[in-house]
Amino acid sequence: MPEYPTLHLLIRGEKLAGDGRDADTVCNPATGERLGDLPRATAADLDRALGIAEQGFSRWRTATADERAGVLTKAAGLLRERQDEIAAILTLEQGKPLREAKGECLYSAALFEFYAGEAKRAYGRTLVRPAGKRAEVMYLPVGPIAAFAPWNFPVLNVARKVGGPIAAGCSVIVKPSEETPAAGLALVQCLLDAGLPPEVCQVVFGVPADVSEHLLASPIIRKLSFTGSTPVGKQLVKLAANDLKRTTMELGGHGPVLVFADSDIDKALDTMVPAKFRNAGQVCVSPTRFIVEDAAYDRFRDGFAERAKAIKVGNGLEDGSQMGPMANERGRDNLERRIKAAMADGARLDAGGERIGNAGFFFAPTVLSDLPLDTELMNEEPFGPVALINRYAGEAEMIAEANRLPYGLAAYAWTNDAARRSRLAHEVEAGMLVINGASASAVDAPFGGVKWSGHGHEDGAEGVLACMVAKTVHEG
Ligand code: NAD
């Protein structure tokens, strides 16, 4: 088994632990066993981090674009070099198969490289004025940022939280999830080893509500960046509003997938089944509600169930495991309860539906069909390995179902009709629409939602601009 590192806070590059700080236990979701103890930041630690973030902002806002880009590029190289070691830590604390963990490291490295380019392209512009007058629009870093990242992508979530600020010239205090702390720490270590001044990026842990309340109460923090659930996001936006701090909120989703009978059904199945069960379904853009046109329904449902049953579930460190455990016990218990409720409400079980083994938080890839719309799973984000398949008469009904919920993160559609693709692009309420494919993110594309899925973007040029403010200088 790979070695799990000693855990610590990272304040001005200093690794802090012990000294009477309370600690939380980190567990391996594949076994339920303890991996390590994570210190909680005290109020004094948080105040110190805030003071240092202020200094870090003074230092980094004046760094040249070349310097910022250089650090991000070098950190990307280190992340690639260390991918095996970091991926093993990630799998130990989060559970996903090693292959996915490595992919996450590589995506994060590519994101840093893209942001390095964007650091140099935050140009601003000169406006048309008569001789003797001038007006210039400048983009300047917003200030110190407080960022909170969840446990489902322990490296990538943290890379998104710190990459944009560093490219833009901000400082950042990041709180990775207390359930998956080591992978995020390893990512930030790559940045420090690449030459990032340690005041610019600090890492804290604690009781999430206490840490966010403390940091967001400080006037030093100019922006909140959060990825997580919609209920927590709403609370944090209220805290940020007390001081009118800017916000980027990447919240939950309930990914609709519109499958039309004119599409290549085998290709849709071969693509969407692995996409559904990637990271045991614990993905904000996970395809979840399969909205299938009547003529393709039976074939799609049966093909989905057959493929789901063939997925090899096992410890993510073992060769051949295609799906690991769920990342925590409460997620597994919640999913189990909601599946039972859906079946009691009349849903049909086509695959899975139960835990696997007695150790860890394994749950079988599950397919439910013919679900009543008022069952909890059809309304709340399942965040687990379950596909929900229902039958619809045609396009208008299918679009109405896609837009029924207050979420709008990723949506998917399978159709070979070009006119329909254009209609869907306009009508489906989502931050990302994926047609005849499964990938809702790319480093150069803005990633973010509408409605209750949040606002603002990460990735793309937008991910850096979100950490900047426009200032216009008028002359004459
Ligand atoms: P949760 O709502 O308790 O926590 C979600 C995340 O927010 C966790 O990482 C947690 O540490 C953090 N958090 C919680 N309260 C916080 C606070 N007051 N201040 C700062 N951070 C806080 O839910 P959970 O049980 O960890 O996850 C389940 C749900 O969260 C899922 O059903 C899903 O909707 C959502 N989620 C979304 C994403 C995403 O990528 N958008 C990621 C993880 C979880």
Side-chain angles (χ1 to χ4, degrees):
M1 199 169 85
E3 200 175 326
Y4 192 72
T6 305
L7 300 168
H8 51 79
L9 313 170
L10 203 48
I11 296 184
R12 189 186 260 143
E14 256 182 84
K15 296 178 178 174
L16 301 176
D19 288 337
R21 291 179 181 87
D22 290 337
D24 292 301
T25 302
V26 180
C27 285
N28 180 343
T31 61
E33 285 164 7
R34 174 187 163 280
L35 287 170
D37 292 320
L38 179 70
R40 288 184 188 168
T42 61
D45 289 329
L46 296 176
D47 284 337
R48 190 164 159 241
L50 283 164
I52 292 168
E54 202 170 21
Q55 295 164 19
F57 180 52
S58 299
R59 160 76 178 82
W60 203 236
R61 65 192 277 269
T62 56
T64 62
D66 276 344
E67 188 182 353
R68 295 177 207 159
V71 165
L72 285 165
T73 307
K74 194 163 174 203
L78 292 174
L79 195 46
R80 287 182 205 281
E81 265 173 52
R82 299 175 189 174
Q83 61 173 288
D84 288 343
E85 179 195 329
I86 297 178
I89 292 170
L90 193 169
T91 294
L92 270 180
E93 63 186 10
Q94 200 271 349
K96 68 180 62 176
L98 263 183
R99 185 181 38 81
E100 289 184 25
K102 282 186 198 172
E104 191 178 326
C105 293
L106 295 179
Y107 187 101
S108 303
L111 182 64
F112 279 179
E113 281 156 355
F114 179 77
Y115 277 165
E118 286 308 298
K120 299 183 189 183
R121 285 191 287 268
Y123 293 128
R125 63 190 187 276
T126 304
L127 305 179
V128 177
R129 292 291 181 271
K133 290 181 181 255
R134 261 180 71 81
E136 186 190 359
V137 182
M138 302 163 73
Y139 285 99
L140 300 172
V142 64
I145 296 177
F148 306 103
W151 43 263
N152 56 340
F153 289 88
V155 168
L156 176 58
N157 285 329
V158 177
R160 283 178 164 156
K161 291 284 166 261
V162 303
I166 289 170
C170 300
S171 58
V172 57
I173 302 177
V174 64
K175 189 190 79 54
S177 165
E178 285 69 20
E179 291 169 304
T180 57
L185 279 168
L187 173 98
V188 172
Q189 196 59 50
C190 291
L191 286 158
L192 297 180
D193 294 346
L196 184 73
E199 307 89 318
V200 176
C201 181
Q202 303 178 84
V203 185
V204 297
F205 298 100
V207 175
D210 295 350
V211 175
S212 53
E213 207 174 310
H214 195 111
L215 295 181
L216 293 176
S218 167
I220 290 171
I221 296 297
R222 297 311 318 149
K223 178 176 169 156
L224 154 70
S225 173
F226 174 72
T227 298
S229 63
T230 295
V232 173
K234 287 181 180 178
Q235 284 168 27
L236 293 184
V237 165
K238 285 180 194 153
L239 289 180
N242 289 332
D243 195 30
L244 282 181
K245 297 185 200 302
R246 286 165 186 255
T247 54
T248 292
M249 308 303 291
E250 206 273 89
L251 308 177
H254 203 292
V257 186
L258 295 86
V259 182
F260 292 93
D262 67 43
S263 64
D264 180 339
I265 297 295
D266 282 331
K267 187 166 175 218
L269 287 167
D270 289 341
T271 310
M272 296 320 279
V273 173
K276 170 68 257 178
F277 297 111
R278 176 170 74 105
N279 199 9
Q282 303 161 117
V283 181
C284 53
V285 294
S286 189
T288 292
R289 260 177 306 146
F290 291 82
I291 300 166
V292 184
E293 197 172 16
D294 187 34
Y297 185 72
D298 292 345
R299 186 171 154 213
F300 188 83
R301 178 200 57 209
D302 295 347
F304 210 108
E306 189 188 324
R307 286 166 176 79
K309 286 177 192 161
I311 288 176
K312 184 163 183 275
V313 180
N315 188 319
L317 293 174
E318 282 163 18
D319 273 353
S321 289
Q322 292 171 309
M323 190 180 101
M326 292 185 69
N328 52 57
E329 194 170 12
R330 67 179 178 288
R332 192 266 320 267
D333 291 353
N334 235 337
L335 181 71
E336 187 176 49
R337 181 183 57 74
R338 286 170 169 175
I339 288 172
K340 281 189 181 148
M343 288 165 63
D345 289 341
R348 167 183 147 139
L349 179 70
D350 299 288
E354 58 196 6
R355 301 173 181 205
I356 301 177
N358 296 322
F361 314 128
F362 292 94
F363 201 88
T366 297
V367 181
L368 293 169
S369 58
D370 299 344
L371 297 108
L373 289 187
D374 59 359
T375 195
E376 195 179 340
L377 271 178
M378 288 297 283
N379 297 282
E380 304 289 332
E381 186 176 29
F383 227 63
V386 64
L388 314 172
I389 305 181
N390 269 355
R391 181 197 305 265
Y392 294 84
E395 185 180 306
E397 245 194 308
M398 292 166 74
I399 294 176
E401 168 56 22
N403 294 341
R404 177 178 60 90
L405 295 184
Y407 298 106
L409 193 55
Y412 304 81
W414 286 84
T415 175
N416 282 326
D417 178 334
R420 173 177 279 152
R421 289 203 288 266
S422 170
R423 287 194 295 277
L424 295 176
H426 286 273
E427 298 303 325
V428 176
E429 296 168 358
M432 285 83 61
L433 173 65
V434 187
I435 299 175
N436 297 341
S439 181
S441 60
V443 295
D444 56 355
F447 181 90
V450 297
K451 306 200 290 186
W452 282 11
S453 294
H455 52 246
H457 294 100
E458 295 181 312
D459 298 9
E462 288 82 353
V464 177
L465 279 180
C467 303
M468 306 188 98
V469 286
K471 179 193 269 180
T472 311
V473 180
H474 297 277
E475 250 183 77

